[in-house]
Amino acid sequence: IPPLREGVTTVAGYVRDYASGRKIPAAMVRPGEMIELSGAPNYDTGAKGRRGIIYAANYDHNSGNVTLAIDADAGAWDKQAARLGIPA
């Protein structure tokens, strides 16, 4: 699945870890994780399924939703490291 365009999305329930396939509950989602949103539209291809690396996550306990800021280029390690404060 190609990476998604940079943006923000709100997810209810859980997201799926891209590497392991495990479900991550919305309350446990953290920046730096590569996820796959299998039901979300991919605006680059028109198909379903988007992946990306989370660089911000905001969980709302009242709704059970997590709002995610996802990087457009999941393969750009330098950009990810800079956002996360990790030396590249």
Side-chain angles (χ1 to χ4, degrees):
I1 298 171
L4 62 146
R5 290 183 179 156
E6 186 169 0
V8 175
T9 190
T10 300
V11 178
Y14 69 90
V15 296
R16 187 168 304 278
D17 180 79
Y18 182 74
S20 69
R22 71 180 171 90
K23 292 180 180 180
I24 304 170
M28 304 300 293
V29 174
R30 300 289 180 261
E33 296 182 80
M34 181 181 282
I35 61 165
E36 180 176 77
L37 303 170
S38 59
N42 184 315
Y43 301 111
D44 294 325
T45 66
K48 290 228 181 223
R50 296 167 50 178
R51 69 178 166 104
I53 295 178
I54 300 168
Y55 63 90
N58 184 22
Y59 178 69
D60 181 341
H61 181 72
N62 291 328
S63 68
N65 294 339
V66 62
T67 301
L68 305 173
I70 303 174
D71 198 305
D73 185 358
W77 172 246
D78 293 344
K79 190 159 106 178
Q80 298 306 320
R83 282 195 174 134
L84 298 172
I86 301 169

